[in-house]
């Protein structure tokens, strides 16, 4: 598991320095936020689902 986490670490600052143009930099920033946004979306979905289940009395 540690090997996978080590391989997934990306040096965003290094990518920004070697970026060919500004559109690539924007893509790097958006790409670094996508996993966080997906995690927040899944957490909100789980919260909403649990909240509805509690309101229905199950």
């Amino acid at each position: 598991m540690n090997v996978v986490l080590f391989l997934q670490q990306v040096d965003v600052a290094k990518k920004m320095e070697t970026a060919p143009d500004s559109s690539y930099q924007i893509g790097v920033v958006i790409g670094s936020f996508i996993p966080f946004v997906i995690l927040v979306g899944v957490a909100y979905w789980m919260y909403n689902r649990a909240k509805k289940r509690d309101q229905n009395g199950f």
Side-chain angles (χ1 to χ4, degrees), residues 3-21:
V3 175
V4 173
L5 292 175
F6 178 72
L7 292 175
Q8 289 182 346
Q9 291 178 353
V10 177
D11 190 12
V12 176
K14 183 177 177 183
K15 283 192 170 203
M16 294 295 231
E17 290 174 3
T18 61
D21 58 1

Side-chain angles (χ1 to χ4, degrees), residues 3-42:
V3 175
V4 173
L5 292 175
F6 178 72
L7 292 175
Q8 289 182 346
Q9 291 178 353
V10 177
D11 190 12
V12 176
K14 183 177 177 183
K15 283 192 170 203
M16 294 295 231
E17 290 174 3
T18 61
D21 58 1
S22 63
S23 63
Y24 183 80
Q25 291 177 350
I26 293 170
V28 169
V29 171
I30 291 172
S32 65
F33 284 118
I34 286 177
F36 178 71
V37 170
I38 291 173
L39 182 65
V40 169
V42 168

